[in-house]
Every structure is written in structure tokens, then in C-alpha cells.
Amino acid sequence: MEEEMENKTNSKTENEKHLPKEEGDVKYYSCEEVQAHNTSKDAWLIIHDKVYDITTFLEEHPGGEEVLLEQAGSDATESFEDVGHSTDARQMLQQYYIGELHECERKKEAKKEVYITTSKESSSWSTWLIPAIAVAVVGFMYRYYMLEHKSS
């Protein structure tokens, strides 16, 4: 009987061992902790500052386990996004969630530069002058061409 109880306790998956005790609790990991989990028997990933234990998924991954093992123990956000995973894949990822990266270790997202024209010069002379010159040149060429051929 004791042996059965021990087997039930040991049968918990790795994910269950790492999950917070209560749903509202979030377990935080350092990059160093995640880096220690980079083998086929114990593989963790960071994706968008969330930590996932993907050990049990390695053999099921459609792209092969090698792809995941290359990223194991590190931040795989860029690789994950570059592949363009489906909505189903993103939902499936949630079952491997074990916690989040410590706030102090999160990468600051690079601000994308956005160029906004606030100048009122859009109604300036350059927006109408170039087309006006083009029309004048085309008109002049048309008249010249037509007059040359009529007099011949």
C-alpha cells in the first residue's frame, strides 16, 4: 500500500512539480535556473518572458526534437515567432507553462521607431509643382510632335 502511494507521488509530471500551488501564484525563475534545463531529459524554454517545461513535448514536436533542443535553456521567443506558429500551437504551449522570468531579467523590448509626419508642408509647393512641370513638359511635347507632323 505504501509503495502505491509512493508511485502516485512519483508519477507527477515535471510540469506539476514546478507549477505554483495556487492558480493565482506565479513562480519566477532566473535565466540561470532556466539555462540549467537544456537536455533531452529536462528541457525548458523562455517565450515572451514565460517559462515552459517542454520535456514531454520534445518527441511530439512536428519540427523534430533537435529544433527544440537547440533552444533549450534559453529565450526562444524570436525563433518561436520567426516560424509563425499557429493559434493551436500557441494554445498547446500553455499546458507546458511553469512560471515566468524574473522581472529584473526580462529584456526590454526594443522600441520600434515610428515616423509620423506632422509637418503642414504636405500642401507646400513641392506637392503640386512637380506634377505641374510634368504636365507642362508632356503638353509641350504633344504640341511640338503634332505641329511637326501636320506641317509635313
Side-chain angles (χ1 to χ4, degrees):
M1 187 77 156
E2 280 182 40
E3 193 174 308
E4 281 182 36
M5 290 295 286
E6 191 174 311
N7 285 342
K8 284 184 181 178
T9 306
N10 290 337
S11 69
K12 278 189 173 184
T13 66
E14 280 298 309
N15 286 358
E16 289 172 332
K17 290 178 188 175
H18 299 294
L19 285 175
K21 291 174 179 56
E22 293 182 28
E23 197 173 310
D25 294 342
V26 175
K27 191 158 184 179
Y28 290 93
Y29 297 95
S30 67
C31 286
E32 192 174 300
E33 286 176 290
V34 175
Q35 287 170 354
H37 302 274
N38 61 0
T39 67
S40 61
K41 295 188 183 337
D42 185 22
W44 291 10
L45 292 175
I46 300 167
I47 299 174
H48 295 293
D49 298 323
K50 295 185 185 313
V51 180
Y52 300 94
D53 181 348
I54 49 124
T55 310
T56 58
F57 182 66
L58 289 174
E59 291 179 13
E60 299 172 33
H61 187 252
E65 69 180 85
E66 297 82 25
V67 177
L68 294 176
L69 285 174
E70 286 176 10
Q71 300 292 320
S74 66
D75 189 333
T77 303
E78 189 173 336
S79 297
F80 183 82
E81 292 302 337
D82 285 349
V83 171
H85 284 90
S86 67
T87 306
D88 290 341
R90 292 172 189 278
Q91 288 174 345
M92 184 184 291
L93 185 62
Q94 297 312 307
Q95 70 191 31
Y96 302 103
Y97 173 81
I98 58 170
E100 297 191 15
L101 196 60
H102 278 291
E103 292 282 336
C104 60
E105 295 197 42
R106 295 180 181 193
K107 292 179 184 171
K108 304 288 184 222
E109 288 190 30
K111 292 182 180 178
K112 294 182 180 176
E113 292 185 24
V114 178
Y115 297 100
I116 301 172
T117 304
T118 56
S119 164
K120 293 185 180 180
E121 289 181 34
S122 61
S123 62
S124 72
W125 60 271
S126 64
T127 58
W128 61 265
L129 184 61
I130 294 170
I133 291 172
V135 167
V137 169
V138 169
F140 178 75
M141 290 175 62
Y142 176 76
R143 285 188 176 253
Y144 178 76
Y145 179 75
M146 292 304 285
L147 291 177
E148 277 293 311
H149 285 293
K150 282 187 179 180
S151 60
S152 322

